[in-house]
Amino acid sequence: MTHVLEYHLVHYRRTWRSSALSMLVMPLLTMLGFGVGVGAYVTGGVDGVPYLDWIVPGLIASTAVQAALGEATWPVLSYFKWLKVYFAQAAAPLRVADILGGHVLFMLFRILLSTVVFLVVAVLFGVVHSWWALLVVPISLLVGLAVAAPTVAYSASITIDSFLAILMRFAVLPMSLFSGVFFPIESLPTLLRWVAWALPLWHGVDLSRDAMLGLAPGLPGLGHVLYLLAWCALGSWLAHDRFRRQLVI
């Protein structure tokens, strides 16, 4: 598994410059546009919390999910269909668990980078008020894996990239909009509220918001963690099954 992770890290060492600027610019633009721009019109904040302080935890969780999806979609499909990287690795003395696990570890590395950069930008904007904010790092890794694992299984099950565009339009975009990132889900109709509760991102947003605001999550927080772990476990099992079907002859 570590050898597969090393392969992805060596490749990233050659290409990191292409993503470094966007990794820094996107948090800046997002916080300026939504947190400062829109926040200027949200008088009184949300639940007594300034809008910028309230929205940043959701943006961090959403960024973690976007980073996870960036590695769990087109790269996975291309490694099966076009580049055949997975098949080359399977020809070496590597198990399916090594091939899948090494790439998932690299996904977690990318999520970690994106989260840390966003957190540093948040510090510069003065919206981090407690050391408890550091908990958003493991929370982001958890919600990122909860989304990445089933997405890897999906990407390993398709043969054309049009299905990835469908995933982005009908699953990822609604999840980003209706998971409490930009506004409380209490303002949604009851049906959409249930949809938000079922999606992993909302649970990550709620945990991140408690951490950033220094609030005790209590039993609801434990429920969030267990629910995200269930997504991780089920997604990992599905991904391993799809990889095994494709790589084991």
Side-chain angles (χ1 to χ4, degrees), residues 111-198:
I111 295 168
L112 177 64
L113 285 181
S114 299
T115 301
V116 170
V117 169
F118 209 124
L119 191 59
V120 170
V121 174
V123 171
L124 297 177
F125 272 77
V127 297
V128 176
H129 309 290
S130 169
W131 286 103
W132 287 107
L134 293 175
L135 288 176
V136 300
V137 176
I139 292 170
S140 295
L141 292 173
L142 180 60
V143 69
L145 181 59
V147 172
T151 304
V152 168
Y154 176 82
S155 301
S157 304
I158 61 177
T159 55
I160 55 176
D161 56 355
S162 298
F163 288 106
L164 294 179
I166 293 173
L167 175 71
M168 293 297 174
R169 290 173 184 171
F170 296 104
V172 176
L173 182 59
M175 179 173 64
S176 301
L177 293 176
F178 302 123
S179 293
V181 176
F182 304 104
F183 53 86
I185 65 169
E186 287 75 18
S187 60
L188 292 171
T190 302
L191 178 60
L192 289 179
R193 217 176 303 167
W194 278 98
V195 172
W197 289 332

